[in-house]
């Protein structure tokens, strides 16, 4: 007798669960748990490294990430408005910037502002300025596209209503469109902060004093000195301490906006009049 579609689905899921449990069981049996504990849960190494991981590396990672995110957000809004401008040169400039910084690896941007620009222009950036510029310029390219899509996702009826009340194009943009656009794009902007947090690990290229170490640099140095993977395990946990609350915040914000996400560039016809 042939099984019903529902019954076949239940059997298929049961087989998948059995295979998954069997695979986990095999891995548990073949693993060298003694070596795993020695490599990843070395308590003396953890006791030596943990205070500095939290008080220095985690704090510096947060500072670097927030500096890059703040600068990028300030730059992203005018870029988004330029991309929507009716004046072609503004659109060309914004498009060139966005495509360039989305296309080149963040690693090259760090090297450029860490070594190239200071040599070419005889400038000296401190580590915080270098990180802010590097992360901010890269992040701005992505955030500008997010904000642009958010502006275009605002209901055109509200724009028409504001204009019918006598508001100028600029005032409509500032008081009606942009506040609603930022409410829409808060979840993707939170995700961008997560990406910048992980990109902050590229700062290791610049050469840091110990009190400037971020998480990845701290973990690498601790690995070299302790010959244990325990610091790397705690470094990964520290990244999760940052990213999991941000991911939760992103989902919560998305629910508060009714699941509304930024639309495609063609979703609406909002265009900035220069």
């Amino acid at each position: 007798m042939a099984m019903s579609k529902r019954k076949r689905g239940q059997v298929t899921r049961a087989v998948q669960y059995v295979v998954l449990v069997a695979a986990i069981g095999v891995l548990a049996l073949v693993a060298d748990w003694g070596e795993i504990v020695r490599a990843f849960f070395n308590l003396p190494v953890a006791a030596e490294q943990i205070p500095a991981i939290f008080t220095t590396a985690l704090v510096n990672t947060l500072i670097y990430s927030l500096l890059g995110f703040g600068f990028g957000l300030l730059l992203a809004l005018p870029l988004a408005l330029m991309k929507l401008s009716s004046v072609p040169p503004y659109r060309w400039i914004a498009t060139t910037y966005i495509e360039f910084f989305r296309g080149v690896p963040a690693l090259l941007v760090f090297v450029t502002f860490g070594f190239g620009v200071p040599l070419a222009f005889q400038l000296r950036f401190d580590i915080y300025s270098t990180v802010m510029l590097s992360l901010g310029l890269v992040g701005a390219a992505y955030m500008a596209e997010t904000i642009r899509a958010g502006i275009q996702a605002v209901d055109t009826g509200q724009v028409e209503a504001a204009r019918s009340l006598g508001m100028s194009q600029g005032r409509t943009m500032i008081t009606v469109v942009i506040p609603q656009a930022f409410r829409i794009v808060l979840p993707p902007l939170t995700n961008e902060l997560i990406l910048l947090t992980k990109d902050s690990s590229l700062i290791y290229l610049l050469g840091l004093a110990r009190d400037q170490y971020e998480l990845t640099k701290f973990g690498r140095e601790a690995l070299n000195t302790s010959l244990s993977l325990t610091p790397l395990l705690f470094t990964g946990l520290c990244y999760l301490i940052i990213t999991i609350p941000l991911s939760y915040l992103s989902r919560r914000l998305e629910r508060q906006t009714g699941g509304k996400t930024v639309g495609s560039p063609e979703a609406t016809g909002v265009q900035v009049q220069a």
Side-chain angles (χ1 to χ4, degrees):
M1 181 177 179
M3 287 189 295
S4 65
K5 184 177 180 180
R6 180 180 180 184
K7 187 66 176 177
R8 284 199 302 272
Q10 291 175 339
V11 172
T12 301
R13 284 195 296 273
V15 171
Q16 291 173 348
Y17 293 149
V18 170
V19 171
L20 179 62
V21 171
I24 294 174
V26 170
L27 287 176
L29 289 174
V30 301
D32 186 345
W33 289 104
E35 192 59 35
I36 290 175
V37 170
R38 281 192 293 273
F40 290 98
F41 302 97
N42 189 320
L43 295 181
V45 173
E48 182 182 352
Q49 302 293 341
I50 279 179
I53 288 180
F54 289 105
T55 58
T56 301
L58 179 60
V59 170
N60 283 336
T61 297
L62 287 172
I63 292 173
Y64 298 148
S65 303
L66 291 176
L67 282 175
F69 182 79
F71 180 65
L73 189 59
L74 288 176
L75 190 57
L77 179 58
L79 282 171
L81 296 176
M82 290 171 66
K83 189 73 181 288
L84 293 168
S85 173
S86 59
V87 180
Y90 289 166
R91 293 201 305 272
W92 299 339
I93 293 171
T95 300
T96 301
Y97 176 94
I98 291 169
E99 294 302 325
F100 177 80
F101 280 101
R102 289 202 309 178
V104 299
L107 181 68
L108 296 183
V109 180
F110 268 90
V111 172
T112 300
F113 279 93
F115 304 106
V117 172
L119 284 175
F121 297 96
Q122 299 300 309
L123 297 173
R124 290 182 62 85
F125 296 129
D126 61 25
I127 196 66
Y128 298 103
S129 300
T130 303
V131 175
M132 183 182 69
L133 288 170
S134 303
L135 282 182
L137 289 172
V138 174
Y142 292 93
M143 287 189 275
E145 284 292 83
T146 301
I147 294 172
R148 177 185 62 83
I151 291 173
Q152 290 182 308
V154 175
D155 188 356
T156 53
Q158 299 195 30
V159 177
E160 293 168 356
R163 296 302 303 274
S164 69
L165 293 174
M167 291 187 183
S168 64
Q169 179 78 18
R171 186 178 175 188
T172 300
M173 182 62 66
I174 294 172
T175 61
V176 177
V177 176
I178 290 178
Q180 294 189 59
F182 268 94
R183 185 169 179 267
I184 294 171
V185 302
L186 273 177
L189 287 181
T190 307
N191 290 331
E192 182 61 31
L193 178 56
I194 293 173
L195 295 176
L196 289 180
T197 300
K198 291 187 287 186
D199 282 346
S200 68
S201 63
L202 297 173
I203 194 175
Y204 78 90
L205 289 167
L206 305 180
L208 302 172
R210 187 170 178 81
D211 61 350
Q212 297 171 331
Y213 283 2
E214 44 69 49
L215 284 169
T216 300
K217 176 68 174 175
F218 186 94
R220 287 161 56 95
E221 292 297 321
L223 169 65
N224 293 334
T225 55
S226 67
L227 301 179
S228 170
L229 293 171
T230 302
L232 288 184
L233 173 66
F234 282 92
T235 296
L237 292 177
C238 286
Y239 275 112
L240 294 178
I241 289 173
I242 299 173
T243 57
I244 288 178
L246 288 174
S247 298
Y248 173 77
L249 176 63
S250 176
R251 291 193 298 272
R252 187 177 178 85
L253 290 172
E254 191 168 349
R255 284 198 297 271
Q256 289 179 347
T257 57
K260 187 175 182 180
T261 57
V262 293
S264 64
E266 294 75 23
T268 65
V270 177
Q271 192 174 51
V272 178
Q273 300 292 331

